[in-house]
Amino acid sequence: MPNTCVFCGSDAPLTREHVFGKWVAKTGLDLSPLEHHAGPLNALPRHLGNQPPYRQEVRDVCGACNNGWMSRLESAAQPVLTPLILGDSGAIAVGDQPMIAMWAQKTALTAMLLSSKEQRDNGYGLAPSEYRALYDNRESMTPLSGSQFWVGRFEGDGAFAAVRVTPLTVRIPGLPEPHIPQAYAMTIVLGALILHGVRFPPPARSIDAVMTYGFSRLWPTSSRVDWPAGQVCTEETFVSLADAGMLRVGNGEIQLQPWRHAAHLPQSAIENGMVKVRALCHRHDVYYPPALLQEALNGTFYAFMVACECSAYIVHTDADRIRFRAAGPPEGISQMYEDMSGDEYIFRDRNGEFICKQLPD
Ligand SMILES: [Zn+2]
Ligand SMILES: [Zn+2]
Ligand SMILES: [Zn+2]
């Protein structure tokens, strides 16, 4: 079966589409090589290698989309966003706000195409209907219905660019977590600019959210946005923000939370004195000692190997989660672990010994 354009469904030859329009590389941002990662939270980071940032490309878009409405969207966004990316104060006129919100949506959808086909088949990434729905809005230049967007200021150490999509569930106290996400958060950082949005695809009903960080609302549009406004997001607060941590809905009883299969480890996952976490295969669990959680709270992080029936993995601890960093046959994974620098530690508890390497600060 031929590959078809994710947006319009055409089976015309697919072209390379930049995640960020080519104009982003010309804004004067630092273009030194960065490591790029794409993919859902807590899934295998797909190394895109060291390449100049802002130049990643995907190949799921036809020429008519690429050179048509997507190109028009980039051209319209460029003059509005360039000063904000460079950190010059500015404004977004009411008339430009739907277009900028659509640009953020388009950038999030395009970046998710960098996830592997396998990840997408496993339910990660975004539904094909999201792409078709955005295509349907190409003339109106508006974001998808049931979405809200905010704009704020980012302050980072050197070049930091990110596109992050976090699946969300709507949690109602006393009810179990839904099995599938009902919404997703989108966060885009380019230079000093951060765009944050949430979308409730049908059949979910859109819930009005309040951005507690004081970012200006871009969509639905109400008034001219003067930039910057609100608190400054940093690399430290980025993950919490991207996980919808700064969004409040209703009176606070209903909560938007990262879908647990994709993000945080639930407290209840301690089993027989070990922390249980779903492996990347989505079929088996792997275990590690709770002492590593305590270490992480104290700011010390480790790498370790675990395995299920399908695969071996290298896992890193992080401030509020663990991350699968590699997956593959046990021989290759243990070689990767061997090759890592860092002092080795053994954690001993009633479950036995657990070997880790400390990660550099
Ligand atoms: Zn197309
Ligand atoms: Zn890396
Ligand atoms: Zn498995």
Side-chain angles (χ1 to χ4, degrees):
M1 204 181 115
N3 286 329
T4 55
C5 173
V6 286
F7 286 106
C8 70
S10 148
D11 56 10
L14 300 181
T15 56
R16 291 162 167 270
E17 154 69 8
H18 285 77
V19 170
F20 291 117
K22 286 192 198 92
W23 61 271
V24 170
K26 296 176 192 148
T27 52
L29 280 179
D30 183 359
L31 290 178
S32 53
L34 279 181
E35 249 199 1
H36 289 270
H37 295 280
L41 297 181
N42 238 27
L44 182 65
R46 181 161 165 237
H47 278 261
L48 303 169
N50 287 320
Q51 52 172 304
Y54 323 123
R55 298 210 183 127
Q56 298 166 68
E57 294 173 318
V58 297
R59 258 167 288 184
D60 305 70
V61 180
C62 77
C65 283
N66 202 347
N67 303 317
W69 67 275
M70 297 178 84
S71 165
R72 287 196 298 278
L73 186 57
E74 293 294 342
S75 304
Q78 174 178 10
V80 178
L81 294 184
T82 297
L84 315 190
I85 290 170
L86 296 177
D88 302 329
S89 51
I92 304 178
V94 168
D96 287 331
Q97 290 171 17
M99 176 271 293
I100 295 300
M102 187 195 193
W103 181 86
Q105 178 85 61
K106 189 259 347 164
T107 302
L109 288 176
T110 309
M112 284 306 103
L113 297 173
L114 292 166
S115 305
S116 73
K117 184 175 181 307
E118 189 187 347
Q119 285 171 343
R120 281 184 265 159
D121 289 346
N122 280 334
Y124 282 109
L126 297 168
S129 52
E130 291 295 279
Y131 293 81
R132 302 303 292 270
L134 195 72
Y135 177 75
D136 290 341
N137 284 10
R138 68 195 180 283
E139 298 298 336
S140 63
M141 286 266 201
T142 51
L144 300 177
S145 63
S147 64
Q148 295 154 67
F149 286 88
W150 297 266
V151 58
R153 181 179 170 86
F154 184 84
E155 222 172 75
D157 235 11
F160 178 87
V163 183
R164 193 111 158 187
V165 172
T166 306
L168 302 172
T169 52
V170 179
R171 300 300 302 273
I172 299 167
L175 294 182
E177 178 177 33
H179 288 296
I180 53 164
Q182 294 125 310
Y184 58 89
M186 296 159 267
T187 311
I188 295 157
V189 175
L190 267 180
L193 171 73
I194 178 166
L195 290 160
H196 186 51
V198 63
R199 147 92 166 155
F200 295 83
R205 276 191 27 232
S206 173
I207 303 174
D208 279 333
V210 172
M211 216 286 173
T212 59
Y213 234 43
F215 284 12
S216 302
R217 197 177 71 178
L218 205 57
W219 179 261
T221 296
S222 55
S223 57
R224 187 179 85 143
V225 163
D226 289 304
W227 187 93
Q231 293 182 60
V232 173
C233 179
T234 62
E235 287 179 45
E236 283 69 44
T237 49
F238 170 75
V239 170
S240 165
L241 189 144
D243 280 359
M246 282 72 170
L247 295 182
R248 292 284 171 277
V249 289
N251 55 14
E253 279 190 357
I254 299 174
Q255 291 187 319
L256 286 178
Q257 286 184 350
W259 186 40
R260 76 187 155 90
H261 291 291
H264 293 268
L265 189 67
Q267 283 301 314
S268 60
I270 293 186
E271 205 174 275
N272 297 325
M274 295 287 274
V275 183
K276 178 170 101 170
V277 64
R278 203 69 173 155
L280 281 184
C281 65
H282 303 298
R283 290 196 295 271
H284 305 108
D285 298 311
V286 292
Y287 298 84
Y288 66 92
L292 292 181
L293 289 177
Q294 189 58 51
E295 291 281 296
L297 286 174
N298 298 336
T300 309
F301 307 111
Y302 297 87
F304 56 87
M305 279 187 296
V306 286
C308 68
E309 286 166 51
C310 336
S311 183
Y313 308 97
I314 287 182
V315 175
H316 288 191
T317 62
D318 204 337
D320 59 351
R321 70 191 64 217
I322 63 154
R323 295 167 192 279
F324 286 87
R325 304 307 297 253
E331 314 78 60
I333 290 296
S334 53
Q335 190 59 53
M336 277 177 76
Y337 178 81
E338 289 290 327
D339 292 344
M340 291 173 69
S341 56
D343 292 335
E344 198 158 66
Y345 288 82
I346 300 178
F347 289 83
R348 289 187 182 85
D349 60 22
R350 63 187 170 86
N351 288 299
E353 292 184 346
F354 198 85
I355 299 168
C356 307
K357 274 186 185 168
Q358 189 176 340
L359 292 168
D361 287 340

